[in-house]
Amino acid sequence: MSKDYQKSKLIGQILVEGGLITSEQVSKALDVQKAKGGYICTIIVKLGFAAPQEVFRALSEQLGIDYVDIKKEKIDPRAIEKVPVKLAIHYEMMPYKFEGKRLVIVLSDPLDIHKMDDLRLLLDIDIEAVLSYEKDILETIQKYYGVGADILEEMMSQPDVEEKIKVRASTVQDLEAAVEDASIIKFVNQILTQAAEERATDIHLEPYENELRVRFRIDGFLYEVPIPESIKLFHQAIVSRVKIMSSLDIAEHRLPQDGRIKIKIKGEELDLRVSILPSSYGESVQIRILSIKSFMMLDNLGLLEDDFKKIEDLISKPYGIIFVTGPTGSGKSTTLYAALSKKNVAGTKIITTEDPIEYQLRGVTQIQVLPKIGLNFAEGLRSILRHDPDIIMVGEVRDAETAEITIRSAMTGHLVFSTLHTNDAASAPTRLVDMGIEPFLVASSLEGIIAQRLVRVICPDCKRKASVSSQIFKKEGIDLKGETVEVLEGGGCQSCRHTGFKGRTAIFEILVMTEEIRDLIFKRVTSQVIKEKALACGMHTLRQDGLRKVLSGITTFGEVMRVT
């Protein structure tokens, strides 16, 4: 360490003098360092006192060492070949590029002399360090080496690796022994942890002839996860590990299987729904991740003020049916759970019949549908009515029998919530009539229909102003002044995977039953006629609600058009 550096100011002082943080924040960071150890710059960033770029640029000036935003830099493949993944992960170091014969590496703490000496000795090459944020370094290691690369290297180096690869063991006991290997367990746990950290709702493990593909669904879109090519060799061991975790039959490879796993990742409880599907190149695994955090209250669904009032009025009805409609993955279950949560008070008896039960609600009796033993929605509903409920939720109305019992339940003094697969709110009554339900029963029992879709929310870290033509809004019945309208869009950044979006919210179309609409249903009119009357009565379409959220700076015009 040079004399100039010893005489220079501490990084905390530099950040305070630059107006980036306060003296109090420096004191708090030092207290954390004393209690838990760690690098002061990383602690300041983790506590949220300053952005990593600001802190490390200041440190760069102080030390006279270059700062690079490693996630934006192109990495030299020769540098990666020079550094084994074990070293990269152990020393939290990313090989960057060659400058002549010198290897440039990226560290968050290049003043750690012992670390630098170790690396020079282990790599047997002259090295130079540049600065970057620790979290960015770790994410870059994962991007270029692949998830679980260090674990795979460890597995491949074991002397009995051939036996572990031959997972189709002669007995179930042999198979269990193979998949209980610590490395397999660690790899599966790493995939689950990575998915949770990236806000994934689904994990897909898909085997092909020469590769095992891992993909996460984030905000409705699938993204490929980089993993080492050699992991294909351990595909069946990985699948068997997932089966053991979800209490499935590890010896069964020909039939589809479904199971559940409950795990805790970084203090958060997650409920995982597992589906195993046999394919031509092995078993494919799909894992749906359900987090208690994602369970929303009614006022967190993204409802604008007028729609919030409509839904509050609907769920305050003493009896009748409220349907939530939309395709799979449009957030119907979340809306239903939010409505039930609002009605879940001490004086109310609530019973549900679901397939599957996605969230456990305290104070609500929930029944899992089991078609194999004859417990379908219709049978479950018949039994529910004998238990004196005030409110009933039927997971889905799929057939005429379930529809008829649901409607009769509503007509005998129960408030019923359910879902229906239709494209818009006005199509729900005609769908029920098409099922064979008498129009007068549909007209008299229905209280409201909520159609919904999910749209991606503009990333708060890279949002910027943009202009669109006001004619776009006028075509949808929203009159605005001027030729252009100022809205927001996402520029794309590391935080949002350069998509410009982070998170999702819902857009709604709420049809509240009126006497005019009941008369139209009774007359067996088309859904288009019902829609026109509902619009005249004050309903807005999914697209109109989406455009209102565009004007509110929540989402973008392109996203609304994509979904609607």
Side-chain angles (χ1 to χ4, degrees):
M1 199 179 295
S2 69
K3 291 180 180 178
D4 289 337
Y5 172 67
Q6 287 175 329
K7 291 177 183 177
S8 66
K9 294 172 185 174
L10 296 171
I11 185 64
Q13 288 176 284
I14 292 172
L15 294 173
V16 171
E17 287 173 7
L20 297 173
I21 60 174
T22 64
S23 299
E24 291 76 16
Q25 288 173 328
V26 173
S27 298
K28 285 181 184 175
L30 289 169
D31 289 342
V32 172
Q33 189 183 41
K34 285 175 187 173
K36 298 181 180 179
Y39 188 37
I40 189 67
C41 290
T42 304
I43 293 167
I44 288 169
V45 172
K46 284 183 176 176
L47 290 173
F49 295 157
Q53 292 83 359
E54 294 172 337
V55 174
F56 282 90
R57 280 200 179 99
L59 182 62
S60 170
E61 289 174 17
Q62 179 204 30
L63 302 179
I65 297 173
D66 289 341
Y67 165 80
V68 295
D69 190 343
I70 190 61
K71 289 177 77 174
K72 292 182 179 178
E73 296 293 325
K74 189 175 180 181
I75 306 298
D76 186 342
R78 294 177 305 150
I80 295 173
E81 287 172 13
K82 181 65 182 173
V83 181
V85 64
K86 274 187 181 179
L87 285 186
I89 291 172
H90 179 74
Y91 289 101
E92 295 180 352
M93 169 271 292
M94 182 66 202
Y96 177 24
K97 62 182 179 180
F98 278 98
E99 285 184 352
K101 292 186 177 180
R102 180 185 294 169
L103 175 65
V104 181
I105 62 170
V106 185
L107 292 168
S108 61
D109 184 8
L111 293 177
D112 189 331
I113 296 167
H114 298 297
K115 184 183 286 189
M116 294 291 286
D117 287 344
D118 284 353
L119 289 168
R120 283 191 184 96
L121 184 67
L122 292 165
L123 296 172
D124 191 24
I125 192 172
D126 188 20
I127 60 172
E128 178 189 337
V130 293
L131 271 170
S132 197
Y133 177 40
E134 179 188 12
K135 183 171 179 283
D136 291 346
I137 293 170
L138 293 174
E139 287 179 8
T140 309
I141 291 170
Q142 192 173 85
K143 177 182 176 182
Y144 283 92
Y145 285 100
V147 176
D150 57 327
I151 302 165
L152 180 66
E153 192 175 274
E154 185 182 310
M155 288 192 289
M156 294 299 287
S157 66
Q158 291 174 6
D160 57 346
V161 67
E162 292 298 325
E163 293 305 312
K164 286 182 169 62
I165 291 171
K166 292 173 185 174
V167 124
R168 288 188 185 277
S170 56
T171 67
V172 174
Q173 287 78 16
D174 290 342
L175 185 57
E176 284 178 345
V179 300
E180 285 298 332
D181 181 270
S183 300
I184 295 292
I185 293 170
K186 192 176 175 185
F187 178 80
V188 172
N189 289 348
Q190 195 165 331
I191 289 287
L192 296 177
T193 303
Q194 180 73 12
E197 286 177 352
E198 294 200 20
R199 304 179 296 106
T201 54
D202 298 86
I203 303 169
H204 296 265
L205 281 81
E206 305 156 328
Y208 296 99
E209 186 175 7
N210 297 313
E211 66 170 327
L212 175 64
R213 193 183 193 189
V214 178
R215 294 194 286 175
F216 293 164
R217 189 176 293 280
I218 302 168
D219 295 336
F221 283 76
L222 279 172
Y223 297 94
E224 192 147 351
V225 179
I227 57 169
E229 289 182 16
S230 311
I231 205 71
K232 167 70 177 173
L233 298 170
F234 298 91
H235 163 241
Q236 199 166 338
I238 293 164
V239 174
S240 296
R241 172 60 191 163
V242 173
K243 285 181 180 178
I244 286 172
M245 292 175 75
S246 45
S247 303
L248 298 178
D249 183 358
I250 64 169
E252 179 57 72
H253 305 290
R254 299 165 301 168
L255 296 173
Q257 296 188 70
D258 295 309
R260 303 187 84 140
I261 307 170
K262 276 195 178 293
I263 58 170
K264 186 178 277 190
I265 294 177
K266 293 188 176 178
E268 182 187 357
E269 281 192 12
L270 298 175
D271 188 11
L272 311 181
R273 291 203 331 242
V274 178
S275 178
I276 310 286
L277 194 66
S279 73
S280 54
Y281 293 109
E283 290 171 291
S284 181
V285 180
Q286 191 271 342
I287 302 173
R288 168 66 57 87
I289 302 174
L290 300 170
S291 167
I292 303 301
K293 275 186 181 177
S294 66
F295 174 64
M296 296 181 178
M297 307 306 288
L298 203 58
D299 49 1
N300 291 334
L301 290 178
L303 290 157
L304 296 178
E305 193 174 342
D306 56 338
D307 282 346
F308 184 81
K309 182 72 169 63
K310 283 180 186 176
I311 289 184
E312 269 204 322
D313 290 344
L314 281 175
I315 66 174
S316 298
K317 302 274 185 187
Y319 52 82
I321 300 177
I322 298 162
F323 277 112
V324 181
T325 77
T328 301
S330 59
K332 300 188 298 295
S333 296
T334 302
T335 299
L336 285 175
Y337 279 115
L340 288 179
S341 182
K342 184 83 172 176
K343 299 293 291 182
N344 188 13
V345 292
T348 305
K349 172 79 171 180
I350 303 174
I351 307 180
T352 73
T353 175
E354 306 172 53
D355 184 23
I357 297 170
E358 293 194 9
Y359 300 102
Q360 299 290 340
L361 293 177
R362 188 174 180 274
V364 175
T365 304
Q366 295 171 270
I367 301 168
Q368 170 68 54
V369 169
L370 295 167
K372 286 182 182 177
I373 59 170
L375 180 56
N376 53 27
F377 283 119
E379 283 302 318
L381 197 46
R382 286 191 184 95
S383 301
I384 284 171
L385 292 171
R386 302 187 195 106
H387 281 253
D388 187 31
D390 299 298
I391 297 171
I392 299 167
M393 186 184 93
V394 181
E396 186 184 341
V397 171
R398 297 173 180 169
D399 51 60
E401 185 184 16
T402 307
E404 189 172 347
I405 301 169
T406 302
I407 283 170
R408 294 197 183 279
S409 302
M411 294 182 72
T412 53
H414 303 94
L415 181 62
V416 182
F417 296 100
S418 190
T419 68
L420 200 61
H421 283 287
T422 62
N423 287 329
D424 60 7
S427 299
T430 53
R431 173 86 180 100
L432 291 167
V433 172
D434 289 343
M435 281 183 179
I437 308 301
E438 289 296 330
F440 78 90
L441 289 174
V442 176
S444 56
S445 61
L446 264 180
E447 290 297 334
I449 304 137
I450 303 162
Q452 69 178 74
R453 299 287 188 279
L454 293 178
V455 293
R456 292 179 293 172
V457 173
I458 296 167
C459 175
D461 297 325
C462 61
K463 61 183 176 185
R464 63 190 183 192
K465 291 180 180 178
S467 295
V468 293
S469 171
S470 60
Q471 291 299 318
I472 292 167
F473 294 89
K474 286 177 183 176
K475 283 180 185 176
E476 298 300 327
I478 301 173
D479 287 326
L480 300 168
K481 293 177 182 178
E483 292 185 7
T484 60
V485 184
E486 194 173 87
V487 295
L488 295 176
E489 66 178 11
C493 64
Q494 296 168 20
S495 177
C496 63
R497 288 174 162 257
H498 300 280
T499 61
F501 298 98
K502 192 172 183 182
R504 289 192 290 178
T505 191
I507 55 174
F508 297 91
E509 177 178 291
I510 302 171
L511 191 158
V512 178
M513 296 298 289
T514 63
E515 289 307 313
E516 298 98 317
I517 293 173
R518 291 186 201 278
D519 287 341
L520 291 175
I521 295 169
F522 187 73
K523 292 174 183 175
R524 292 176 180 263
V525 300
T526 64
S527 60
Q528 185 58 36
V529 175
I530 294 171
K531 184 174 183 176
E532 287 169 4
K533 175 55 72 176
L535 290 170
C537 294
M539 183 187 85
H540 53 252
T541 64
L542 284 163
R543 184 171 291 179
Q544 285 172 338
D545 189 45
L547 292 177
R548 294 195 303 166
K549 287 184 166 78
V550 171
L551 293 172
S552 301
I554 296 168
T555 189
T556 66
F557 173 74
E559 180 67 4
V560 171
M561 298 305 286
R562 179 186 70 82
V563 170
T564 60

